[in-house]
């Protein structure tokens, strides 16, 4: 069936010359799901009001949360998100993308409703932290593998980037929307209204996520592209199982590359509003603009990685971000709003780009069949990158500025470049790699 609870889009079981409309429907559904899940990036808007004593008391809450308490639901959500990508990927590989999306819809909707109606710190932890984290881990694992089964190797970067762009771009619409609901309605309604909407939208879009049937062959790449990639040996024809994948050093290199790309982006996402505040009072402008660049970075990086290769795209991005990290201390000291804003936007682009590159790397190195579970394991690197916002905050508390954090992030990006230079596709041993 083309819509419903089945795994497959019926009738798509033959080789095709161009990407069919049903593939684009899957991509659009996946992007829309990620537009819902990406509300995580707008947490700073909620945090502002959760720490406002007079607002919280006036709207029926017990009182304001401390800055640390108000940050904990997001931190818990990130941790569970990263951990649940692994079982989420396994569910997708075994039962299909609709099953993963349906589970995500239920946990996202109910979790947000609990966060809003409880009017308590515990409710935020259980609803957004745990419920939202489960939803994001399981549902985020569905769109990328579904897209990957429809497209050829020359289309992976762009189409996977487009699929995950929704998650990065969510802050662009949801930050002002949350602010409007909080100001004109209430903090609680901003959670409950979005919870109901997300439950419905994710569920309906999940019904559209489908694999092509066995026998489908994606559009072939141009001859020139095929010859160039054959010479480089960048894309596998073997579907690796996780047990064989984790025996390769390249798996650990990808996890580390993911972590090192992520850490710099999360430093900016977590603290930019603070260090740019003396130059820009309206922090939600930065959050919304950053969301747009986060999304565009996924599509743009994915596209030029299809052209120049994953390794070159990764190196270009990491080098650009490293320059920004090393330059930011001087820019902030000079109070240059234009350059500070520009460098933050570049960091958002590079951070988003990593979330298009790493599933494409995983697909190129280890094949499409077990992508859900395999990418779930590689995605551990994203969760590991969450150390940098905390380290950055500690450096700020100790020294009174973020300079040391920027220098550490820049140095780690240089390390990432060195790892990318030597990381090439693993060669499958005879009889290894293929499995269910």
């Amino acid at each position: 069936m083309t819509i419903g609870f089945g795994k497959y889009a019926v009738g798509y079981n033959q080789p095709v010359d161009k990407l069919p409309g049903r593939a684009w429907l899957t991509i659009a559904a996946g992007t829309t799901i990620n537009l819902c899940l990406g509300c995580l990036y707008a947490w700073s808007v909620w945090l502002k009001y959760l720490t406002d004593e007079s607002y919280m008391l006036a709207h029926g809450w017990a009182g304001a949360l401390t800055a640390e308490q108000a940050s904990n639901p997001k931190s818990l959500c990130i941790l569970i998100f990263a951990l649940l990508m692994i079982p989420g990927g396994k569910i997708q590989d075994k039962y299909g993308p609709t099953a993963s999306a349906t589970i995500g819809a239920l946990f996202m909707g109910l979790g947000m409703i609990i966060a809003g109606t409880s009017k308590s710190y515990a409710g935020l932890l259980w609803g957004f932290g745990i419920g939202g984290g489960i939803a994001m881990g399981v549902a985020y694992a569905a769109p990328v593998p579904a897209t990957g089964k429809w497209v050829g190797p020359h289309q992976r970067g762009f189409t996977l980037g487009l699929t995950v762009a929704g998650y990065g771009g969510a802050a662009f619409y949801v930050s002002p929307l949350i602010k409007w609901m909080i100001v004109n309605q209430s903090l609680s309604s901003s959670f409950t209204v979005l919870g109901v909407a997300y439950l419905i939208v994710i569920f309906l879009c999940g019904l559209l996520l489908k694999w092509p049937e066995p026998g489908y062959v994606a559009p072939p790449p141009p001859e020139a592209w095929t010859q160039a990639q054959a010479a480089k040996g960048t894309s596998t024809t073997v579907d690796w199982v996780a047990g064989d994948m984790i025996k390769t050093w390249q798996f650990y290199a990808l996890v580390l590359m993911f972590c090192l790309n992520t850490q710099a982006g999360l430093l900016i996402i977590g603290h930019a509003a603070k260090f740019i505040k003396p130059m820009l009072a309206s922090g939600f402008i930065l959050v919304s603009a950053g969301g747009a660049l986060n999304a565009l970075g996924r599509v743009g990086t994915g596209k030029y990685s299809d052209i120049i290769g994953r390794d070159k795209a990764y190196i270009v991005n990491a080098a650009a971000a490293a320059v920004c990290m090393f330059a930011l201390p001087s820019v902030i000291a000079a109070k240059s709003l234009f350059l500070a804003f520009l460098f933050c936007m570049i960091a958002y682009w590079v951070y988003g780009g990593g979330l298009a590159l790493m599933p494409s790397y995983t697909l190129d190195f280890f094949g499409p069949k077990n992508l859900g579970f395999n990418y779930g394991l590689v995605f551990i690197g994203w969760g590991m990158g969450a150390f940098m916002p905390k380290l950055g905050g500690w450096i700020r508390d100790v020294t009174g500025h973020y300079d040391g954090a920027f220098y550490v992030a820049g140095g780690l990006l240089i390390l990432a470049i060195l790892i990318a230079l030597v990381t090439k596709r693993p060669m499958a041993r005879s009889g290894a790699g293929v499995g269910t």
Side-chain angles (χ1 to χ4, degrees):
M1 61 182 64
T2 58
I3 185 172
F5 290 99
K7 296 180 183 179
Y8 299 106
V10 176
Y12 295 89
N13 54 11
Q14 301 291 329
V16 296
D17 294 326
K18 66 177 183 178
L19 206 59
R22 189 60 186 78
W24 288 110
L25 183 59
T26 294
I27 293 169
T31 303
T32 304
I33 289 173
N34 283 326
L35 277 168
C36 299
L37 301 177
C39 63
L40 176 68
Y41 287 134
W43 184 258
S44 61
V45 181
W46 276 309
L47 185 146
K48 176 182 176 181
Y49 292 93
L50 288 168
T51 54
D52 185 327
E53 180 76 13
S54 60
Y55 180 91
M56 294 288 279
L57 290 173
H59 287 81
W61 293 64
L65 304 183
T66 66
E68 180 182 4
Q69 287 176 324
S71 298
N72 285 338
K74 177 183 177 181
S75 299
L76 182 59
C77 184
I78 290 174
L79 174 63
I80 294 177
F81 179 3
L83 294 176
L84 266 291
M85 273 287 291
I86 299 172
K90 192 67 174 177
I91 291 169
Q92 195 280 155
D93 290 343
K94 185 173 183 178
Y95 299 105
T98 298
S100 295
T102 300
I103 294 170
L106 293 172
F107 275 96
M108 193 72 196
L110 296 177
M112 294 282 281
I113 292 170
I114 290 170
T117 57
S118 66
K119 295 188 177 182
S120 69
Y121 175 51
L124 291 170
L125 290 174
W126 280 102
F128 191 90
I130 295 177
I134 293 172
M136 292 175 195
V138 177
Y140 189 82
V144 164
T147 296
K149 292 181 182 296
W150 287 95
V151 301
H154 62 301
Q155 301 166 314
R156 287 171 180 168
F158 174 68
T159 55
L160 296 185
L162 190 59
T163 300
V164 299
Y167 197 98
F172 182 72
Y173 83 89
V174 81
S175 294
L177 178 59
I178 291 170
K179 182 177 176 63
W180 182 87
M181 284 193 289
I182 291 173
V183 172
N184 293 281
Q185 298 177 16
S186 69
L187 180 67
S188 294
S189 68
S190 69
F191 285 107
T192 56
V193 171
L194 287 177
V196 172
Y198 288 166
L199 191 157
I200 295 170
V201 173
I202 295 172
F203 174 74
L204 292 177
C205 287
L207 297 177
L208 298 174
L209 286 180
K210 294 288 175 277
W211 300 337
E213 290 184 308
Y216 173 87
V217 179
E223 183 64 27
W225 190 96
T226 302
Q227 293 176 356
Q229 297 305 310
K232 297 176 184 177
T234 55
S235 187
T236 186
T237 57
V238 176
D239 287 306
W240 293 66
V241 295
D244 289 323
M245 179 184 73
I246 63 174
K247 295 175 183 177
T248 68
W249 68 265
Q250 288 93 340
F251 163 72
Y252 298 96
L254 292 185
V255 172
L256 191 53
M257 287 166 61
F258 210 160
C259 173
L260 297 178
N261 183 85
T262 298
Q263 56 89 26
L266 289 182
L267 174 65
I268 298 299
I269 291 171
H271 294 278
K274 292 182 181 179
F275 64 71
I276 210 170
K277 186 175 181 180
M279 297 172 273
L280 181 67
S282 300
F284 79 92
I285 295 176
L286 178 70
V287 175
S288 294
L293 267 293
N294 188 346
L296 291 172
R298 301 174 191 222
V299 180
T301 299
K303 181 62 178 178
Y304 56 72
S305 77
D306 286 337
I307 299 170
I308 66 175
R310 315 293 178 218
D311 52 351
K312 291 184 178 65
Y314 185 97
I315 290 167
V316 167
N317 278 11
V323 169
C324 294
M325 293 299 110
F326 290 131
L328 270 170
S330 299
V331 168
I332 293 170
K335 296 184 177 179
S336 172
L337 175 59
F338 173 76
L339 289 178
F341 199 90
L342 174 64
F343 290 166
C344 286
M345 293 303 103
I346 292 173
Y348 273 102
W349 174 285
V350 172
Y351 170 77
L355 285 148
L357 283 172
M358 301 319 297
S360 299
Y361 259 121
T362 307
L363 190 52
D364 289 346
F365 280 19
F366 303 112
K369 184 174 183 180
N370 305 302
L371 179 61
F373 190 50
N374 290 348
Y375 181 54
L377 291 170
V378 172
F379 197 80
I380 292 171
W382 179 83
M384 290 168 56
F387 79 90
M388 181 51 79
K390 291 185 176 292
L391 178 61
W394 179 81
I395 291 173
R396 170 66 174 79
D397 290 340
V398 172
T399 65
H401 51 71
Y402 289 100
D403 293 6
F406 293 135
Y407 294 138
V408 171
L412 291 175
L413 286 165
I414 298 300
L415 175 61
I417 292 172
L418 297 177
I419 296 172
L421 285 170
V422 300
T423 302
K424 308 299 179 186
R425 178 174 68 86
M427 298 294 109
R429 303 185 305 277
S430 177
V434 180
T436 58

